[in-house]
Amino acid sequence: MFAAALTLMLVVSACSSSSAGSGSKTKKVIVGTVNVFPGVAFLDENGNLTGFDVELAKELDKRLPEYEFEIQTMDFGNLLLSLEAGKIDFEMSIMSKNEEREKKYLFNKEPYAYFFTRVAVDIANGTIHSIEDLHGKKLFIGSATSNNASFIQAYNEQHGNPIEVVYGSGGANDLVQLIRTGRVDATLQTDFSVRFETDADGNPALKLVGEPLIADTVHYVLRKDSQELADKLDEALRAVKKDGTLAKLSVEWLGQDFTIPLDEAKAR
């Protein structure tokens, strides 16, 4: 009897050790993103999903053995709806925080990117050098609910509405064409996104002017009941920052290190 019991204990112990040593993960986490965001989350020439957000998520997954990430792609407009419906557990799409979003959703605390917004004009423009030069001119803003819209609305209120704001229609807007045909004079763009505004030949079409107007920190968006997952993401993000992995991914996929705050960026 004793020998049989001992044998059973050894078998159970061996199985337990094998399970622990295999690195098996205990909880699947569905991550929502897009597949049309150049540099961030897009399909490469072989149809594989890649980019800064995607490769960072894979790296965080490696460092969180208690989770198994599954990345699902969808239209940008469906990301937060899917989060609310419980179809995904967090979303990643370079989404910045604002007061309205923070009322509804939980953001992890550790930013994984910093983007600075300036006035963007045609690359050949030599007359607009700052937001003050837009007084009496037209400024294009893609969405009336964006951080850019909130900024310019506040600016106009403080300065007597000197800038005419033209909002996007909700469909596709050829920003370069709008500016080059004179329908608008400028827009607001981040130092990251302006490089994707090109002409028909693929040459840079817009340039940034003036001082940064908005400093956005980029976070993951979760449901309010997901504090444990948010804390784990923060833990892993601190690790990839400390060992240089985050900066390396930013340079590789976004062209430069967008993982440092404005004051540090200016000091470099």
Side-chain angles (χ1 to χ4, degrees):
M1 179 67 73
F2 175 77
L6 179 60
T7 300
L8 180 59
M9 288 174 63
L10 291 173
V11 170
V12 171
S13 175
C15 291
S16 298
S17 298
S18 175
S19 176
S22 68
S24 60
K25 300 182 179 182
T26 59
K27 185 176 182 181
K28 179 171 286 190
V29 172
I30 309 299
V31 186
T33 191
V34 296
N35 62 11
V36 292
F37 200 159
V40 176
F42 66 99
L43 299 178
D44 64 16
E45 63 274 14
N46 297 316
N48 298 315
L49 185 68
T50 191
F52 175 64
D53 265 352
V54 176
E55 300 308 319
L56 174 57
K58 291 178 182 177
E59 185 64 33
L60 298 183
D61 188 23
K62 294 177 186 176
R63 300 178 187 232
L64 295 172
E66 63 269 51
Y67 296 116
E68 180 181 1
F69 288 4
E70 178 183 313
I71 300 175
Q72 295 185 2
T73 61
M74 58 194 68
D75 292 338
F76 180 81
N78 290 331
L79 283 170
L80 293 180
L81 293 174
S82 296
L83 182 65
E84 293 173 15
K87 295 180 179 179
I88 63 175
D89 296 299
F90 72 89
E91 77 85 33
M92 56 176 194
S93 60
I94 306 294
M95 187 172 290
S96 55
K97 289 197 295 185
N98 59 36
E99 187 176 344
E100 181 180 350
R101 289 171 181 162
E102 287 189 278
K103 289 178 181 178
K104 295 184 65 175
Y105 308 107
L106 174 67
F107 288 78
N108 72 297
K109 294 178 181 178
E110 195 76 27
Y112 67 91
Y114 297 82
F115 293 142
F116 311 117
T117 300
R118 295 176 170 87
V119 173
V121 297
D122 186 273
I123 199 163
N125 187 297
T127 60
I128 298 174
H129 305 287
S130 67
I131 192 169
E132 288 78 16
D133 293 331
L134 290 179
H135 290 196
K137 293 181 169 58
K138 295 180 180 179
L139 177 72
F140 177 81
I141 299 292
S143 168
T145 60
S146 65
N147 284 6
N148 288 351
S150 297
F151 169 82
I152 200 62
Q153 288 161 9
Y155 181 91
N156 268 341
E157 288 176 5
Q158 294 168 8
H159 296 82
N161 295 307
I163 301 173
E164 182 180 347
V165 182
V166 178
Y167 291 104
S169 62
N173 296 282
D174 189 336
L175 179 57
V176 173
Q177 190 68 11
L178 286 173
I179 292 177
R180 291 198 164 175
T181 57
R183 293 174 62 186
V184 298
D185 298 285
T187 187
L188 298 181
Q189 287 273 305
T190 65
D191 43 5
F192 154 67
S193 61
V194 71
R195 70 192 184 99
F196 297 113
E197 301 295 350
T198 58
D199 61 21
D201 297 319
N203 300 312
L206 304 182
K207 65 180 179 180
L208 298 175
V209 297
E211 291 296 312
L213 303 172
I214 308 170
D216 280 328
T217 56
V218 181
H219 304 257
Y220 295 124
V221 190
L222 307 90
R223 288 185 299 278
K224 289 283 190 179
D225 62 356
S226 301
Q227 189 62 58
E228 181 179 352
L229 175 57
D231 291 343
K232 289 293 185 179
L233 289 171
D234 283 331
E235 179 183 317
L237 282 170
R238 284 190 289 271
V240 295
K241 283 184 178 182
K242 185 176 181 179
D243 67 14
T245 301
L246 184 62
K248 181 180 178 181
L249 288 172
S250 180
V251 171
E252 178 180 357
W253 293 102
L254 306 182
Q256 67 184 75
D257 186 1
F258 290 108
T259 69
I260 53 177
L262 181 59
D263 55 349
E264 291 185 29
K266 286 183 174 181
R268 291 190 174 185

